[in-house]
Structures are given as C-alpha cells and as structure tokens.
Amino acid sequence: MLPFSGASAQVAGGQAPAASYIEELIVTAQKREQRTLDVPIALTAYTGAFLDEIGVQEFEELSLFVPGFEVQNQSPNNPGFVMRGITSDDGGATVEPRVSVFQDGVSVSKSRGSYIELFDNARIEVAKGPQSTLFGRSALIGAVNIVQNKADPGGFAAAAKFEAGNFNYRGLEAMVNVPLSSTLAVRFAGRVKQRDGFVENVLGGRDFNSTDTNAYRVVLKWQPSDNLDADLIFNYEENNPSGTSFKSLTYLPTDPLTGKVLGDLGRNSGAALASSDGFAGGRDLGLERTTWGVTGLVDYRISDTLRLSSISAFRRFKSLEVFDADGFSLPLFVFAEDARGDQYSQEFRINYEGGERLSAFAGVGYFYEDGSQAVPLQYNERVFAARNAPLAGLVGFTPPNVPSINTINSAAALSTLKLVHRETFQNYGRTTSYDVFADATYKVTDQFEVSAGIRYSNDDKRSGYRGTLDNGGSILTSGSAANAANPATARGIFLQSTPGGLAQYRSFSDSGVTYRVVGRYAVSDDISLFATYSRGRRPEVLSPAAPVAPQGNVRFTAVAAEIVDSYEAGAKTQWLDRSLSLEGSIYRFTYTNFQTSIQTAPGVFQTISAGDASSTGFEGQFNWKPTGQLSVFGTYGYNNGRFDNGRFKGNSFRLSPDHTASFGLNFTVPVWEGDLSFLPTYTWQSRVFFDNDNDIPALQSTGDLIQDEVQGAYGLLNLRVSYQPTDANWRVEASASNLLDQEYIKDAGNTGGAFGIPTFIAGEPRYFGASFSIRY
C-alpha cells in the first residue's frame, strides 16, 4: 500500500503536487516483481520515501502503521517483534525466532541483533502469516523484508537532513550517490541521532531511556551489462543509550544512603536506579552494542526465461547491557547481558518465467550461526536477606518469598553476609542448516491462478551451558561462610555451578517441511480475490538449564517444533480511477505445542508447552487520494488470539492487543510561492498484557496479588507541518509525536517480577522538533 503519489514521496524534491491517483508500488514478496494488488498474501508495503514523510525511523514506529504487526522496544538490545499475536523476543543463544527480519533477503532475526535503524531504504515489505516458503528461516508467522537503496551509475545525487528537538535531540542523515563509470557506482548513507533520556534519574547522572545511535551504509553497484547486476553492501550500527527505566512500583525512589524519598510511585515518573560495587568492570547502566554485516547480491539473466540469483552474507553482533533489574535504589541486585553472534548464509535461486502461464523459482540455502549469551548477576546479600526476612527498623520489605534462604533474625547475623555476591550463567547455540525450496504459480485461465510452494530444512544444532559462582557461594543459601567457600557445597542464589565452572554441550538434529497453497481470482484488472493455506514451523531446540545441585550436570530439555496452520482469504481492489485502494483479509490459525517459559519459584524458570492456541482475525488497509492536494490512509487490525488449553487456557497472548488502528492524512495548500503540507496521524491500540499469564494472581508463584502488569487502551497523535518553495531543493519541517503527551507503559513485570517486585518501563512522552532538508 502506497498512501501518497508522485512528488509527495519526495523528502525535498521541488515538484508540484501529483495527480489524484495512487501510484502503484512494485514489490518482490514472491521473488518476482509484482503490483501489490497481484500478490495473493496479506502484505503491507511502504516506500522509504513515505516512511520518511511520516517520520518512521525505527521498527516500533513502523509497526503502528502495519495491521497485525507490533514491535516493543525496551532498548535496541531487547526488542519484541509480534506478528498476529505471536512474539519473538527471547535473547537466548539456543532460541529460534518466530518472526523473521531480513535485509535484502538476509536473515537478521536473532533477537539481540535484529533491531536496526531504518534509513535510506527503497521500501519495506511486511508479509503476515506463515511465510517460510517465500522468506525462509524462522518465518513461522510472518516476515519483514527491508529493501535498501542501491547505488545508481545513472547520475550523481546527494541529500541531507538536519534535525533538532526537545530533550536535547540532535540528528543528521545524509546520502551521496557517486557514479564511478557507466557501469559502476557507490552510495554512502548514514544517520546519527542523540537524545537525552525522558525518565529522570533522581540519583543524578544520565536520565534513562536515551537515544545514541550511529548507523552507516556503503553500497557498491556493478552493472556491466543488461544481463548482470551485482551489489556489495556494508552495514554498520552502534548504539550506546543510557539504562532502561525498570521502575519498581513497590518501593518509593529513595536516596540509598539517607533513605530520603526522591520521587513517587508513578509509572512514568523518575526512577532511582544504579549499578554498584564495580559490577561489569565498573560500567554504568546502559548499552554498548554494535552490529555489522557484508552482503553480496548477484542477479544474472541466463536467458529470456531463466534468471539466477545469489545472496551471500556475513553478519556479527555484540552487545553488553547493564540494568538495575530490581527497580529501586538499594543494591538488591544488578544484572547484565553479554550477547554475541556470528552468522554466515548463502542462497542460490533460479527463477523461471515461461510465458504468460507459468512462473516459478527453486533454490538451495546454507545457514550457519554461532552465538552465546552470558548473564552476570550481582546481589547484596544483606539487602536480599533483609527483604526476605524483615528486621526491626527496616521498613517496607515484604515477607519471605524466596525458598532456600536461611532466616536472618538479628543484626549480627545480617552483618556476616556478603555485600557483593556474583554468579554468571552462559548459554551457547550453534546451528548449521541446509534448505531446499521451490514455488510455482500457474495461470489456469486468464483470471484464475494457483500457487504452491514447499521448503525442506535440516538443522544440526549444538546447545551448551555453564554456570559459575564468581566470588564463592552465597552465605545465605550455603548456610555458612565455610560452606560458601567450599566448591562442593557452595550454592548460588539464582543458579548452581557446573563442574569446574566449565560448559557442557549436547548436539542433535532436526528437520521439517513447510508449505503453502494459494488460489487467486482476478475479477478485473483492479479487483483481486485470494485464499491461502500455509504451514509454518519453528525448529526444535534443545533448551539448557542450570544444575539442580552445586557441581551438577546441566539439564537439557528437548523443546519440540512449534507448528502453525493458517487459513486466510482476502481481497484487494482499486476504485475511482485508481484514486482509492482497499485491502482486507480474514484469517484463522491454530498453533500446536506453544512453547513458553513459566516461573516455578521466585527467580526459577522452566520451559514448558503451554498447549495449543488459536486466533481469528481481520486486517484491513485503505488509501484514498481524492485530489492532488489531499491523501488519506488508514489501517485496522483485529486479532482474537487465545490459549485453547493448558496452564494459560483462555488467556490473551502477551504483547498482543485485540484491536489496533491507524489513520492519517496529508493535505497540501499553495502558499508563499510554495507548498505548505499538514500531515497528522493517529494510532490506537486496545488493552495489552505483558506476559502469557496475564498477571493473574492465581498463576503467580511470588505472592504478587495485584493484576497491574497491563496497559489499557490508548492512542497517540502525531503532527508534521512542512514548507517547500516551488522549484526549490530544500524543505523545512516542524514535527511532534505523542502530541497530547499520553502516558503509557511499554512493558511490565520483567526480571524484577521473577522475585515478586515487578518493574515498569515508561513509553515515550511528547517529542517535538524541527528539521531542514536539502537534495541535489
């Protein structure tokens, strides 16, 4: 869907408003160029120019305008991608994603490496429903494909945009395209942006939830003939924001030395958080993350009917995030996550276009991934004991709710405990995968066509785990200082050590088939009906967990493959001389062997099958351009996703509102020898839970009796006003997001919830600013 036409797609193009028809967007979701109207799947696609126009720079902002798609961004290191209610956000090295993210056909789906800046893109295609046949690895319930702008030997081009706004926002985006010859060109693009945090750090220092991003891209294009096209793409991004505002609503923000109250229990107000005692080499709260990759694309036309495509890629991510997971000022505990991964992939595909009746593709793929996730944990045993066994004079701590903690009933006993106790667990995952796939579309008549596709995947996997007590055992759990110092009896608070602190590994293999069957009927050139059945599959994994006893063996649990069977029917139309487009689809999917993590005791988790789940839904989108000066667009999504049986029977899926909607219009009026444009947008979603247990007290094991880990329905109003002189190459713009300053949260529960002290992460407040753009 392309909710603008012609010049309105330009950031600063100096053109007059386009005619009152909708420019058709060409997409490649089915591995060949097609109009969106002719693609028989639920697909939302936007050009990069339009996304720039409405101010989309990140996945979280993109999802507001894509029905059936939600993105939660705690930090660039911890995003949650949600497609039709199914969430993909686990950072474990052994975990397979459920929602795939691609850059030019290369999977970047691993959670800690998947969140990337959206800039200088040709378009973004979001395909809903099982799409493994078309997109490949882990497209269990949908896929997002980012098509980046390529270099152009046809001429020089350059553009820049300067931005400034509240919370000390500064941003610069630039692009330069340089032809080196008639067949060779290079394109440079980048974005740098910084913004202070919007949640006050009442203890001083950097405020929480800041923005600090540098992203760069270099693309080399070689086009020696009409038959050969090759691109070499290098992407690099680094993120260094301040800490995430995990705020407790159990304890008031206080000065940890004096006890003076510094704030309130509001979900969006200031927080008292800090790292402590030299943890993680003395790092402050925050994130240090880099991702980079190299991609080679080759497209060679063998003949009039055959085309060979190759996609080669290497990618690496590395991130270290330090966070105060308890949500209040006393040093109960502070955690970190050190996630790393390397990925190699290669795909060869042959496309066949045999006249008007048959089109098909087939190919093979190779995928290798080697990753790890280390989680250092630091506890102050005295605070931990006081919280779980209250002493006289220590106000506000809850009754004991952590098992295996010895009772501390005197100040003398409390003084024997460690101020700093450290333990670390680390998991490892390595996957070598081979794919064979094919897909064909045959026109039975001029109006009716059928498509079918299949993909076979074989995985060889290795899972590993190690646990260490980094400065001896916990006196609390070991019973005495002597036991805590003895490796054979030393116990941790959260985990137990592996023998010698070494990793243990186990290998296994898994294979499976995914497929789709599609029927499409073209009522006319402007009306298309389709129906699909497709199967998605999340590969089997081997989930490791800490030993039960000190120096014990790692527990490996086979987590069976998850299966989604999806049925869908839809229609795509154009009306009123192509000034109005309408798209809509209804779907029903069943989910077998839904895997989730539950808490069996405070701080103790286990992977289980939550049984079966299902969803019935509708997604619709429209675009109307009644005049050359006015365009209107909107989306609506309904998803009634529920667990059918098991522990969570009747519960809503986490991070999945039943209803979402977006609406916007772009109105341009001639003024001051130029064009003045107004572009308001409004996005809305219904109530959302942050965990599959829906924070129901009966399903808690920590004594949490309040169902407050939920966000009620809310909407966000954005406004952009721009002015561009006639026949000029520059443009100025003023913008505001969350114009009404709506308070909301984007997550609740989190790590603190595992210990009976849930934390809450505030959503962004009102942002406003101005920009100046220029293009050559």
Side-chain angles (χ1 to χ4, degrees):
M1 183 178 70
L2 183 64
F4 61 87
S5 63
S8 61
Q10 302 294 321
V11 174
Q15 301 178 26
S20 58
Y21 63 86
I22 300 166
E23 183 178 317
E24 291 181 334
L25 177 60
I26 303 300
V27 297
T28 54
Q30 295 195 119
K31 308 304 180 187
R32 64 183 187 273
E33 292 186 348
Q34 293 177 284
R35 302 185 304 166
T36 54
L37 187 143
D38 297 331
V39 179
I41 60 176
L43 178 73
T44 300
Y46 294 120
T47 68
F50 172 68
L51 296 177
D52 287 343
E53 187 174 278
I54 63 173
V56 168
Q57 297 186 356
E58 301 177 7
F59 282 119
E60 192 171 33
E61 297 162 339
L62 171 68
S63 69
L64 298 175
F65 300 93
V66 180
F69 184 43
E70 296 280 323
V71 178
Q72 177 216 59
N73 179 29
Q74 288 189 9
S75 77
N77 190 54
N78 195 6
F81 290 87
V82 187
M83 196 76 77
R84 291 183 171 175
I86 304 301
T87 301
S88 182
D89 64 350
D90 197 316
T94 63
V95 174
E96 290 283 353
R98 291 181 172 119
V99 178
S100 289
V101 181
F102 295 88
Q103 278 184 310
D104 285 315
V106 177
S107 174
V108 297
S109 305
K110 205 67 174 181
S111 175
R112 298 314 185 238
S114 61
Y115 206 84
I116 54 178
E117 198 72 11
L118 304 180
F119 69 101
D120 197 38
N121 294 314
R123 65 184 182 279
I124 297 179
E125 303 174 7
V126 183
K128 281 70 70 76
Q131 300 296 341
S132 300
T133 302
L134 296 177
F135 287 93
R137 185 156 198 86
S138 297
L140 171 79
I141 196 65
V144 182
N145 188 31
I146 302 162
V147 182
Q148 302 170 117
N149 277 324
K150 309 303 187 294
D152 182 8
F156 174 85
K161 184 175 184 179
F162 307 88
E163 299 178 292
N166 64 335
F167 292 94
N168 198 28
Y169 177 69
R170 298 91 68 201
L172 169 63
E173 183 174 346
M175 176 279 296
V176 179
N177 184 88
V178 182
L180 303 177
S181 72
S182 61
T183 62
L184 189 66
V186 63
R187 185 183 186 99
F188 303 93
R191 176 183 288 160
V192 177
K193 60 182 186 180
Q194 295 182 333
R195 190 191 298 269
D196 293 345
F198 60 83
V199 174
E200 181 187 3
N201 181 354
V202 298
L203 297 179
R206 291 201 299 171
D207 292 333
F208 303 114
N209 300 350
S210 71
T211 299
D212 190 345
T213 297
N214 298 282
Y216 310 101
R217 182 181 308 136
V218 181
V219 184
L220 186 66
K221 163 80 75 176
W222 184 46
Q223 205 169 25
S225 70
D226 292 339
N227 293 334
L228 178 61
D229 192 309
D231 297 289
L232 183 65
I233 308 166
F234 174 75
N235 280 290
Y236 175 84
E237 181 170 336
E238 61 181 37
N239 310 97
N240 297 284
S242 59
T244 303
S245 60
F246 294 104
K247 183 178 180 181
S248 171
L249 301 191
T250 305
Y251 304 122
L252 286 164
T254 60
D255 185 312
L257 298 179
T258 66
K260 178 182 178 181
V261 174
L262 302 176
D264 58 34
L265 294 181
R267 303 189 308 175
N268 297 72
S269 56
L273 310 175
S275 186
S276 62
D277 297 303
F279 179 67
R283 286 179 171 85
D284 198 0
L285 301 181
L287 172 64
E288 300 172 12
R289 173 181 182 262
T290 60
T291 63
W292 65 271
V294 180
T295 301
L297 306 175
V298 179
D299 191 86
Y300 178 65
R301 182 165 292 280
I302 302 171
S303 68
D304 290 342
T305 59
L306 292 177
R307 189 178 78 251
L308 173 65
S309 297
S310 169
I311 305 175
S312 311
F314 170 77
R315 194 166 190 269
R316 171 172 290 174
F317 70 87
K318 179 181 178 181
S319 65
L320 175 62
E321 185 164 21
V322 180
F323 53 100
D324 189 354
D326 55 50
F328 60 97
S329 59
L330 294 181
L332 178 65
F333 47 70
V334 59
F335 294 169
E337 181 190 40
D338 186 342
R340 309 180 183 205
D342 286 348
Q343 173 189 312
Y344 307 84
S345 61
Q346 175 64 56
E347 177 180 292
F348 293 106
R349 185 182 74 248
I350 291 182
N351 278 63
Y352 173 76
E353 299 288 342
E356 297 182 357
R357 293 295 180 189
L358 179 65
S359 60
F361 65 83
V364 295
Y366 167 79
F367 178 86
Y368 174 84
E369 185 175 65
D370 190 5
S372 66
Q373 179 198 44
V375 181
L377 319 170
Q378 178 170 297
Y379 302 85
N380 183 311
E381 289 191 5
R382 298 180 188 181
V383 176
F384 200 93
R387 180 182 181 274
N388 291 280
L391 295 172
L394 291 176
V395 180
F397 289 96
T398 61
N401 65 354
V402 178
S404 304
I405 300 294
N406 294 309
T407 301
I408 303 297
N409 52 19
S410 70
L414 191 68
S415 68
T416 66
L417 301 180
K418 297 163 68 174
L419 291 173
V420 174
H421 168 71
R422 292 174 178 161
E423 51 196 60
T424 299
F425 71 85
Q426 187 165 9
N427 55 72
Y428 308 85
R430 188 176 69 191
T431 298
T432 303
S433 180
Y434 300 91
D435 291 298
V436 180
F437 55 91
D439 194 280
T441 299
Y442 182 75
K443 285 192 173 184
V444 180
T445 69
D446 289 341
Q447 293 178 287
F448 178 63
E449 66 183 32
V450 293
S451 302
I454 188 169
R455 180 181 292 261
Y456 169 78
S457 299
N458 182 81
D459 291 351
D460 291 320
K461 293 176 175 286
R462 187 179 78 158
S463 297
Y465 181 93
R466 68 188 289 261
T468 60
L469 302 180
D470 301 330
N471 64 341
S474 163
I475 296 176
L476 274 171
T477 54
S478 301
S480 68
N483 286 339
N486 184 348
T489 57
R491 299 184 64 89
I493 293 177
F494 188 83
L495 60 92
Q496 307 310 326
S497 59
T498 52
L502 300 176
Q504 295 182 354
Y505 298 92
R506 187 172 296 178
S507 300
F508 72 105
S509 296
D510 174 66
S511 61
V513 174
T514 57
Y515 46 83
R516 71 169 189 149
V517 179
V518 183
R520 173 178 174 263
Y521 182 74
V523 178
S524 68
D525 192 50
D526 292 326
I527 302 176
S528 177
L529 309 177
F530 67 90
T532 72
Y533 164 68
S534 54
R535 166 164 287 197
R537 183 179 187 272
R538 186 192 194 196
E540 180 180 340
V541 300
L542 197 61
S543 177
V548 174
Q551 300 294 298
N553 289 323
V554 175
R555 295 169 292 157
F556 289 95
T557 303
V559 181
E562 300 175 349
I563 303 296
V564 171
D565 288 297
S566 176
Y567 306 84
E568 186 162 1
K572 302 183 180 186
T573 67
Q574 292 181 338
W575 299 85
L576 305 177
D577 295 326
R578 290 178 49 210
S579 67
L580 173 65
S581 72
L582 298 170
E583 300 181 26
S585 64
I586 57 174
Y587 62 85
R588 167 79 176 176
F589 73 74
T590 57
Y591 202 116
T592 303
N593 196 34
F594 193 110
Q595 298 299 327
T596 190
S597 179
I598 66 166
Q599 186 176 340
T600 58
V604 180
F605 294 87
Q606 178 183 356
T607 298
I608 67 164
S609 172
D612 300 330
S614 61
S615 181
T616 302
F618 168 82
E619 292 163 1
Q621 49 197 41
F622 80 91
N623 177 20
W624 182 38
K625 191 169 179 64
T627 72
Q629 291 74 39
L630 175 65
S631 61
V632 185
F633 56 94
T635 68
Y636 170 71
Y638 169 71
N639 179 62
N640 184 32
R642 300 292 187 270
F643 289 93
D644 295 333
N645 48 46
R647 178 183 178 89
F648 302 136
K649 182 178 179 180
N651 283 14
S652 300
F653 298 155
R654 63 183 294 259
L655 300 180
S656 178
D658 284 358
H659 303 272
T660 61
S662 69
F663 176 83
L665 62 86
N666 191 348
F667 180 59
T668 301
V669 295
V671 64
W672 304 318
E673 298 184 352
D675 293 323
L676 185 65
S677 296
F678 300 87
L679 202 166
T681 60
Y682 183 76
T683 60
W684 178 87
Q685 68 172 43
S686 61
R687 182 183 65 172
V688 63
F689 291 100
F690 298 105
D691 198 284
N692 290 327
D693 65 18
N694 290 187
D695 199 31
I696 296 173
L699 296 177
Q700 308 301 312
S701 60
T702 62
D704 182 1
L705 302 180
I706 303 175
Q707 191 179 21
D708 58 353
E709 296 165 34
V710 58
Q711 171 60 54
Y714 70 95
L716 301 176
L717 176 64
N718 302 331
L719 176 63
R720 308 182 77 84
V721 180
S722 62
Y723 171 72
Q724 181 174 326
T726 303
D727 298 325
N729 66 340
W730 59 269
R731 178 180 182 178
V732 293
E733 182 176 67
S735 62
S737 60
N738 192 4
L739 184 63
L740 303 180
D741 205 19
Q742 170 72 54
E743 289 192 351
Y744 65 98
I745 57 171
K746 60 173 62 178
D747 203 7
N750 303 300
T751 305
F755 295 88
I757 45 174
T759 59
F760 298 74
I761 302 176
E764 286 78 7
R766 180 193 295 120
Y767 285 155
F768 58 83
S771 68
F772 173 80
S773 305
I774 189 167
R775 180 179 295 271
Y776 295 97

